[in-house]
Amino acid sequence: MKKLKGCLYSTSESNTKLPDLGPDLIMSEILPRLPAKCVGRAKKVCKEWLSCISSKEFVMMHCRHMCKGSRQKILSIGQESCFISSPGVDLVDEKTMITLPFHVRPFDVWILSSLNGLLCVCLRNTFEMLIWNPLIRSCINISDSKSYGFFKIYSDAVGLYIDSSNDYRVLHIKRGRFTVDVMAYSRRTSHWKRIPFLQKRHYHTNGYVWSGGGGDFL
């Protein structure tokens, strides 16, 4: 197990031989438990691994394992209050009430995207976008004087992702009249940067609906 883990986490070539665990055990019990970046590297091991990892069955197994764990929390936002609880907990005593770090009612907070405990939210009254970690009560306003970081409902989409340098980024797709403007915010540098993305004109029309999301960079 240790040799297999070291092989997948290492970026340099190695002559380390894998233990004789058997292909079925590796495919069903080990690979689905690896982080997304390691799964991406595992695709390069051989054609058999590539075929297995690319299947719908493996994707479902990987998602189930990633959803397990005692560190996962559920954020519940009501009209006037917010609670954090563990999955499967319904008792009031097991829920922790939290105070919002921004001066709005909980009802006026839109959650746009989430990733690894970080939330990208929008304030209904100002349309400002913020990165918020409810567990540690940390919040960063990512809107600025250049009109970056303001969310427009029905036309914009927002996603959180991790790039190849392990920097958390916010991807903001803004659709105007026959134009699509795409910006990426770096949590490391605290700056916005325009990036090229989907330059084909038919993506600029209202016939396409964007949806938010979050995920690792493979």
Side-chain angles (χ1 to χ4, degrees):
M1 177 71 77
K2 291 183 179 179
K3 290 183 179 180
L4 176 63
K5 182 178 179 181
C7 177
L8 293 175
Y9 274 83
S10 175
T11 57
S12 61
E13 295 185 358
S14 172
N15 294 324
T16 302
K17 293 183 179 179
L18 296 179
D20 186 14
L21 298 176
D24 293 339
L25 179 62
I26 293 176
M27 299 297 183
S28 62
E29 298 297 333
I30 297 178
L31 292 182
R33 289 176 165 81
L34 296 177
K37 289 185 178 181
C38 296
V39 172
R41 296 191 183 105
K43 288 182 177 181
K44 302 177 181 179
V45 172
C46 63
K47 292 182 179 180
E48 184 181 3
W49 283 29
L50 174 61
S51 176
C52 172
I53 293 172
S54 302
S55 67
K56 293 182 179 180
E57 292 77 11
F58 180 86
V59 172
M60 294 178 64
M61 282 194 300
H62 189 262
C63 289
R64 284 197 296 267
H65 285 297
M66 292 300 100
C67 290
K68 295 178 181 178
S70 59
R71 297 182 61 187
Q72 289 207 334
K73 300 295 180 182
I74 296 176
L75 175 67
S76 304
I77 299 180
Q79 293 281 349
E80 301 293 339
S81 60
C82 289
F83 294 91
I84 291 179
S85 61
S86 298
V89 173
D90 295 325
L91 299 177
V92 176
D93 294 340
E94 299 295 329
K95 297 180 179 180
T96 302
M97 180 180 289
I98 62 173
T99 302
L100 295 179
F102 18 83
H103 300 293
V104 298
R105 296 181 305 164
F107 180 73
D108 292 325
V109 178
W110 291 330
I111 298 178
L112 306 178
S113 184
S114 65
L115 178 63
N116 294 345
L118 286 181
L119 302 178
C120 183
V121 302
C122 172
L123 306 184
R124 186 193 296 260
N125 57 339
T126 62
F127 301 104
E128 295 172 288
M129 289 166 49
L130 306 96
I131 298 177
W132 175 33
N133 188 329
L135 292 177
I136 63 174
R137 315 297 196 268
S138 173
C139 180
I140 302 173
N141 191 323
I142 61 176
S143 58
D144 62 18
S145 59
K146 296 181 180 180
S147 298
Y148 297 152
F150 290 88
F151 183 79
K152 188 176 181 181
I153 193 172
Y154 302 127
S155 62
D156 291 6
V158 170
L160 282 166
Y161 70 98
I162 304 173
D163 67 11
S164 56
S165 65
N166 290 322
D167 181 18
Y168 281 81
R169 290 179 176 267
V170 177
L171 183 70
H172 185 191
I173 302 175
K174 303 176 65 176
R175 184 173 59 196
R177 183 174 177 82
F178 303 113
T179 62
V180 172
D181 193 19
V182 181
M183 307 294 297
Y185 177 86
S186 168
R187 188 171 178 230
R188 181 176 298 159
T189 65
S190 301
H191 287 97
W192 286 95
K193 180 180 180 181
R194 180 175 282 104
I195 60 176
F197 184 73
L198 295 179
Q199 298 302 316
K200 296 182 179 180
R201 294 188 60 83
H202 57 266
Y203 287 118
H204 302 174
T205 68
N206 291 330
Y208 288 85
V209 179
W210 303 104
S211 62
D216 287 331
F217 178 93
L218 297 181

